[in-house]
Amino acid sequence: IAEGAGAVAGGIVLTYFLLTWRPPFVIAGLIGIGAILMAIQLARSKKPLVIAMLIILSFWIATGMLGYWSKIERYTLKRRWALINPGIELLESADSVYQNIAVGKYGNQISIYSNGNLMVTFPDRYRSAMTAHLIMNQHKNPADILIIGGITGDLLEEMLLYDPHRIDCVDPDRKLLRIMIEVQPPELRKIFKDPRVKLIMDDGRRYIRTTEAHYDIIFVNLPDPTNAMLNRFYTREFYVEARKKLAAGG
């Protein structure tokens, strides 16, 4: 029981505190310090071994204090990115409690990746216009719109041409939304300040299940179902729940 409780507690601390506070290699370094201290405690009767571990501990702490842990993290991250996405410049990589968020740049286009999966690319006015007009023309008078998932300024800009009453954008990841807005060009960033656009920090499945609002259009703009978090939006149960939140004619 104690071992199971410790595993659960460790998972909670790692997911909700450490991952949002420090990069993975730094976390590994801190865990390494804890492991060495525990080994010293267990081997306290063997003086030569304790001395050797104290030397290792001192060296490990010194490398951390001099910033080498962060340097190693940045170096390995850039190397890994270059192998997976050659020719694309890595602008930022961050971890949230939901996912790893990476921002890449190729030419004048910015791409955002979630756990290695491409989410959105912008500015891409042609694709955004095609998507927006296809979606909005599914209804004779699209007044209330719900978007679950990727949101870009150029997509919202095209949707706003239909003069809807509101566009509610739902995503649980506050860090993802902050990064997505920050890297938009200034002319697209201001779209998010339009009073008709509302950002809702909530899980899409939970929002669909609990909201009292009804919509003319519900647009699920998510990557392919490559993990459990995304799979939930590609189920019969989700679409049954979403249908109940459609207004008449939606």
Side-chain angles (χ1 to χ4, degrees), residues 104-145:
K105 183 177 182 182
Y106 183 78
N108 66 340
Q109 287 194 316
I110 303 293
S111 297
I112 295 182
Y113 298 79
S114 167
N115 292 329
N117 296 313
L118 178 64
M119 287 188 67
V120 292
T121 296
F122 54 86
D124 189 353
R125 294 189 179 276
Y126 174 77
R127 184 181 182 86
S128 295
M130 183 173 61
T131 301
H133 296 308
L134 174 63
I135 295 298
M136 298 298 277
N137 277 287
Q138 301 304 308
H139 196 281
K140 293 181 180 180
N141 183 28
D144 299 303
I145 316 300

Side-chain angles (χ1 to χ4, degrees), residues 2 5 16 94 107 111 134 177-178 202 205:
Y16 293 100
S111 297
L134 174 63
L177 289 174
R178 176 186 62 78
D202 199 356
R205 284 293 302 260

Side-chain angles (χ1 to χ4, degrees), residues 199-219:
L199 302 180
I200 301 171
M201 308 298 164
D202 199 356
D203 175 70
R205 284 293 302 260
R206 181 170 55 231
Y207 181 79
I208 285 289
R209 190 168 56 251
T210 60
T211 184
E212 305 250 330
H214 286 76
Y215 297 92
D216 298 315
I217 293 175
I218 298 176
F219 177 33

Side-chain angles (χ1 to χ4, degrees), residues 64-80:
M65 293 180 67
L66 292 172
Y68 284 102
W69 293 355
S70 297
K71 290 179 181 178
I72 293 172
E73 170 68 26
R74 288 193 294 270
Y75 174 78
T76 55
L77 177 63
K78 288 181 178 179
R79 290 289 298 167
R80 186 169 68 250

Side-chain angles (χ1 to χ4, degrees), residues 79-96:
R79 290 289 298 167
R80 186 169 68 250
W81 176 267
L83 290 172
I84 299 173
N85 301 290
I88 301 176
E89 179 187 0
L90 178 64
L91 298 181
E92 184 175 354
S93 178
D95 289 300
S96 71

Side-chain angles (χ1 to χ4, degrees), residues 157-168:
E157 185 178 47
E158 294 293 332
M159 287 184 160
L160 288 170
L161 293 176
Y162 290 80
D163 196 25
H165 295 160
R166 60 173 171 163
I167 300 179
D168 291 345

Side-chain angles (χ1 to χ4, degrees), residues 26-27 39 41 50 58 68 103 113 115 136 140 165 181 228 250:
V26 175
I27 296 172
Q41 176 66 20
V50 170
S58 300
Y68 284 102
V103 182
Y113 298 79
N115 292 329
M136 298 298 277
K140 293 181 180 180
H165 295 160
I181 293 172

